[in-house]
Amino acid sequence: MNTVSLRGRDLVSAADLSAGEIGALFARASELKAEYLAERRHASPPLERRTLAMLFQKPSLRTRVTFEAGMTQLGGHAIYLTEGVVLGGRETVGDVARNLERFVDAIMARTGPHEVVLELAARAAIPVINGLTIREHPCQALADLFTLHERFGDLRGLPLAFVGDGNNVYHSLALMGATLAMEVRLAHPAGYGPNERVVARARELADAAGGRLVFADDPREAVDGAAAVYTDAWTSMGQEAEAEERRDAFARYQVNRDLLAVAPEALVMHCLPAHRGEEITSDVMDGPRSIIFEQSENRLHAQKALLVELLAG
Ligand code: CP
Ligand code: NVA
C-alpha cells in the first residue's frame, strides 16, 4: 500500500488529495469493505471514542447515513446537527468552529456556499470534511472513482463522460479524475457549464498527471467510446425555482437507451438522488450497466477509509 499520512488534514476540495493519497484511500477502502462485508463488523475498530460532528444546511440521505453508520462501524460516534442549531445565524461560523474543535475530533459539513466550509476549515484545528457545497462534492468523487477503480484497476486514461450540469459533482470528478490522469469529458447545455476557476485548476492537474479534460455540446460526442457515463440532477438543491427552465435546457441531455447505444460497453453512474424520467430513464437506472447503487454503497467504504486516515492513531 502507498504510505502517505492524511492525519489531521481537511478535505475541502477534491484537489486537496494527491494521486498517492487517493491510491492509499482506495487501498484502505478495499480492506475495510472486505472485512465489513465478511463479518459485518471490524475486529479492531480504529476510531473508538472518536466523535464526528455533522453539520447539514441541506437535506441528505447518503451523506448523513454513510458518515454516521461509518463512524459507528469504526467504533466511534457521530452527531447530526441541522442548520437550526449551527451555521444559522446564532453565532459566526468561526465561533462554531472554535467550539466544536474543543468537543469533537472532526467536522463534516454540508453547506450552501463553499466559503462556509473553507472558513470552518480555516478556523477549526480539527479535520473538516466537505459533505457537499455548491462548488464541490469531494466525498462523492472519492467513492465514484473508487467504484471505477474496483472495476477497471488503474484509472489512467480511462474516459469518463459526464452528461448534464457542470456542477459540484462534475467539478469534484474533474479535479480528482485529472489528478488520476483520467480523461474527464463533459457535455452540457449552453449556460450550464462549470466554474472557470475549477476548470483551470483541473487542467493544471491534468497537465501535470497526463490526464485530459474534454468538452462537448453534443452528449453523443462526449459518450462515444466512454468507459462510464455519469449524470446528476438537472436541478440541484437550492435551484428549485429554476426547475422548469432547466428541464427545457437539459432535455437533450437525458441519459437514456438511445444515448447509451453510442457507447455499448459504458457503465452508467449517478450520484443520487435521481429524478427518474428527467436526467435518467428508469430502464437505464435499473438496467445491467448501472453501477449507481455500488457508488452509493461505496460512499460508506470510501468515507470510512477517509475517516481512518484523518483520525486514527
Ligand atoms: N449523493 C449524495 O450526496 O446524496 P445525499 O444528498 O442523499 O447525501
Ligand atoms: N448536484 C446535486 C448533488 C446532490 C448529491 C446537488 O447539489 O443537489
Short mmCIF file of all heavy atoms in Angstrom, two decimals, residues 60-63 110 137 140 271-272 299, ligand 1:
data_model
loop_
_atom_site.label_atom_id
_atom_site.label_comp_id
_atom_site.label_asym_id
_atom_site.label_seq_id
_atom_site.Cartn_x
_atom_site.Cartn_y
_atom_site.Cartn_z
N SER A 60 -30.16 15.32 3.21
CA SER A 60 -29.22 14.26 2.79
C SER A 60 -29.77 12.91 3.21
O SER A 60 -30.32 12.76 4.30
CB SER A 60 -27.87 14.47 3.46
OG SER A 60 -27.05 13.33 3.26
N LEU A 61 -29.61 11.92 2.35
CA LEU A 61 -29.80 10.52 2.74
C LEU A 61 -28.42 9.87 2.87
O LEU A 61 -27.98 9.46 3.94
CB LEU A 61 -30.64 9.77 1.70
CG LEU A 61 -30.75 8.26 1.93
CD1 LEU A 61 -31.56 7.93 3.17
CD2 LEU A 61 -31.37 7.56 0.71
N ARG A 62 -27.73 9.78 1.72
CA ARG A 62 -26.47 9.05 1.65
C ARG A 62 -25.37 9.62 2.53
O ARG A 62 -24.70 8.90 3.27
CB ARG A 62 -25.97 8.97 0.19
CG ARG A 62 -26.70 7.93 -0.64
CD ARG A 62 -26.79 8.36 -2.07
NE ARG A 62 -27.70 9.49 -2.17
CZ ARG A 62 -29.03 9.37 -2.32
NH1 ARG A 62 -29.56 8.20 -2.46
NH2 ARG A 62 -29.82 10.44 -2.34
N THR A 63 -25.15 10.93 2.42
CA THR A 63 -24.02 11.52 3.14
C THR A 63 -24.21 11.38 4.64
O THR A 63 -23.29 10.98 5.37
CB THR A 63 -23.85 12.99 2.72
OG1 THR A 63 -23.72 13.01 1.29
CG2 THR A 63 -22.61 13.60 3.35
N ARG A 110 -22.13 20.03 5.28
CA ARG A 110 -22.83 20.22 4.00
C ARG A 110 -23.46 21.61 4.06
O ARG A 110 -24.35 21.85 4.88
CB ARG A 110 -23.91 19.15 3.80
CG ARG A 110 -24.88 19.51 2.68
CD ARG A 110 -25.75 18.36 2.26
NE ARG A 110 -24.98 17.35 1.57
CZ ARG A 110 -25.52 16.36 0.85
NH1 ARG A 110 -26.82 16.25 0.73
NH2 ARG A 110 -24.74 15.48 0.24
N HIS A 137 -18.19 18.36 -4.31
CA HIS A 137 -18.66 17.19 -3.55
C HIS A 137 -17.53 16.14 -3.57
O HIS A 137 -17.65 15.10 -4.21
CB HIS A 137 -19.94 16.65 -4.19
CG HIS A 137 -20.77 15.78 -3.31
ND1 HIS A 137 -20.41 15.46 -2.01
CD2 HIS A 137 -21.96 15.15 -3.52
CE1 HIS A 137 -21.33 14.68 -1.48
NE2 HIS A 137 -22.28 14.48 -2.37
N GLN A 140 -18.12 12.39 -2.75
CA GLN A 140 -18.80 11.68 -3.84
C GLN A 140 -17.78 11.23 -4.88
O GLN A 140 -17.79 10.08 -5.32
CB GLN A 140 -19.83 12.63 -4.47
CG GLN A 140 -20.64 11.99 -5.57
CD GLN A 140 -21.61 10.97 -5.04
OE1 GLN A 140 -22.39 11.24 -4.13
NE2 GLN A 140 -21.60 9.77 -5.58
N CYS A 271 -24.88 10.14 -8.96
CA CYS A 271 -24.57 10.32 -7.53
C CYS A 271 -25.78 10.11 -6.64
O CYS A 271 -25.63 9.86 -5.45
CB CYS A 271 -23.99 11.71 -7.30
SG CYS A 271 -25.10 13.02 -7.87
N LEU A 272 -26.99 10.25 -7.21
CA LEU A 272 -28.26 10.19 -6.47
C LEU A 272 -28.38 11.40 -5.53
O LEU A 272 -27.36 11.89 -5.07
CB LEU A 272 -28.40 8.87 -5.68
CG LEU A 272 -28.34 7.60 -6.54
CD1 LEU A 272 -28.41 6.36 -5.64
CD2 LEU A 272 -29.47 7.57 -7.57
N ARG A 299 -19.93 5.00 -0.93
CA ARG A 299 -19.80 6.18 -0.08
C ARG A 299 -19.40 5.73 1.32
O ARG A 299 -18.54 6.35 1.96
CB ARG A 299 -21.14 6.95 -0.02
CG ARG A 299 -21.58 7.62 -1.30
CD ARG A 299 -20.72 8.79 -1.69
NE ARG A 299 -20.64 9.81 -0.66
CZ ARG A 299 -21.54 10.78 -0.45
NH1 ARG A 299 -22.60 10.87 -1.22
NH2 ARG A 299 -21.36 11.67 0.51
N1 CP B 1 -25.13 11.71 -3.29
C1 CP B 1 -25.41 12.34 -2.12
O1 CP B 1 -24.60 13.12 -1.59
O2 CP B 1 -26.60 12.01 -1.59
P1 CP B 1 -27.32 12.76 -0.38
O3 CP B 1 -27.70 14.13 -0.88
O4 CP B 1 -28.51 11.93 -0.06
O5 CP B 1 -26.36 12.86 0.77
#
